[in-house]
Amino acid sequence: MIYITGDTHGDFSKIDFFCKKMKTTKQDIIIILGDAGINYFLNKKDEKIKRHISNLPITLFCLHGNHEARPETISSYELSTFFGGQVYIEKSYPNIIFAKDAEIYDIEGKKTLVIGGAYSIDKDYRLAMGYKWFPDEQPTKELKNKCMDIVNSKKIDIILSHTGPKKFEPVECFLPFVDQTAVDKTTEEFLDKLEAVKNYNQWYFGHYHTDKKLLADNKEINILFNDIKEF
């Protein structure tokens, strides 16, 4: 089976519980929509998390979020193939797989486009406190152009992203002390343009730490955090 959920930020207790409840195996796959929290510390703390995950009876297929390093910038990751597309895998942890942005995957017979990354609204706080912040957290212009070319030329069944189109932002979840006019929305605005092509059926994204389902122009939009759904 293939499942999908939102950000985990290094806390895999819900995955632990889910695996026990569903009696999963390594052949089962769970998609994490970014900010898995696996490549955040870039030291032995990450290795401890990875060892824990490697013992779970499930395989992770992760998007890149904004609070973590891109796998392609970490020397231990190698390119491999999964779901018919290129992915990043470390040999020591074969059940932890990272998707490649702007790649199309065949997941259960569905053409699935992946685009990770987002802006960190707590960037200034992180820098002031000495916490990790990743300058390449948002997708590049090149990645955006590639995604736009794809949706303009191919019918896509599902889009997976970390953040989502601006038009679908769950504004009720916005933190009251954050000045939204100071938040960089360029990724969300780009995803608005991608969505406007209407060449997809379903869209899943995380980032907002809420669970919500929307219907727009006969398209199904799922925002995920705690919920784990069948894909």
Side-chain angles (χ1 to χ4, degrees):
M1 292 291 293
I2 300 177
Y3 306 95
I4 187 166
T5 192
D7 311 22
T8 49
H9 292 285
D11 180 0
F12 291 90
S13 54
K14 73 173 180 181
I15 309 294
D16 291 354
F17 177 79
F18 181 79
C19 289
K20 291 173 184 175
K21 178 183 176 182
M22 302 302 291
K23 296 181 171 57
T24 60
T25 71
K26 284 285 202 301
Q27 281 67 52
D28 294 305
I29 298 162
I30 187 163
I31 299 167
I32 298 180
L33 293 165
D35 281 352
I38 293 170
N39 294 313
Y40 173 75
F41 296 103
L42 303 179
N43 58 27
K44 291 182 179 180
K45 290 183 179 179
D46 285 345
E47 294 301 313
K48 183 178 180 181
I49 293 171
K50 291 174 185 179
R51 285 195 298 271
H52 173 72
I53 296 169
S54 70
N55 290 320
L56 291 177
I58 202 161
T59 293
L60 272 58
F61 182 77
C62 308
L63 275 66
H64 166 255
N66 54 295
H67 292 322
E68 57 196 351
R70 289 183 175 273
E72 61 266 37
T73 67
I74 302 172
S75 61
S76 53
Y77 280 89
E78 298 179 356
L79 278 173
S80 186
T81 302
F82 195 75
F83 285 146
Q86 288 192 317
V87 294
Y88 299 100
I89 300 178
E90 291 176 294
K91 287 183 178 179
S92 299
Y93 307 106
N95 71 321
I96 303 174
I97 300 167
F98 275 87
K100 184 178 181 182
D101 281 343
E103 193 80 353
I104 296 177
Y105 298 98
D106 183 342
I107 306 179
E108 301 277 83
K110 299 171 184 175
K111 287 184 180 178
T112 304
L113 174 65
V114 166
I115 180 72
Y119 175 77
S120 296
I121 62 169
D122 58 351
K123 171 187 172 182
D124 292 340
Y125 174 77
R126 285 175 172 272
L127 291 173
M129 297 300 293
Y131 298 152
K132 291 280 187 184
W133 174 73
F134 301 94
D136 58 353
E137 61 183 6
Q138 299 195 76
T140 63
K141 182 179 180 180
E142 180 183 27
L143 285 172
K144 291 176 183 178
N145 288 341
K146 186 176 179 181
C147 287
M148 189 61 74
D149 288 344
I150 288 170
V151 298
N152 277 313
S153 61
K154 294 182 175 70
K155 174 65 178 177
I156 300 298
D157 295 304
I158 297 174
I159 297 177
L160 304 178
S161 57
H162 179 53
T163 187
K166 187 177 179 182
K167 67 186 291 185
F168 299 136
E169 285 182 326
V171 295
E172 70 276 8
C173 298
F174 286 179
L175 299 173
F177 53 83
V178 174
D179 178 6
Q180 291 297 319
T181 63
V183 175
D184 182 344
K185 301 277 188 178
T186 52
T187 297
E188 288 77 14
E189 289 165 357
F190 159 71
L191 294 174
D192 260 355
K193 295 176 183 177
L194 201 70
E195 195 279 333
V197 180
K198 303 296 182 186
N199 204 8
Y200 73 98
N201 295 324
Q202 291 177 285
W203 196 311
Y204 292 88
F205 61 95
H207 188 53
Y208 292 99
H209 294 194
T210 192
D211 295 286
K212 187 176 182 179
K213 183 177 180 179
L214 306 167
L215 286 175
D217 300 321
N218 295 317
K219 313 293 185 183
E220 182 182 306
I221 315 299
N222 289 278
I223 309 173
L224 294 178
F225 181 44
N226 287 314
D227 287 353
I228 299 176
K229 294 189 173 186
E230 285 189 20
F231 186 76

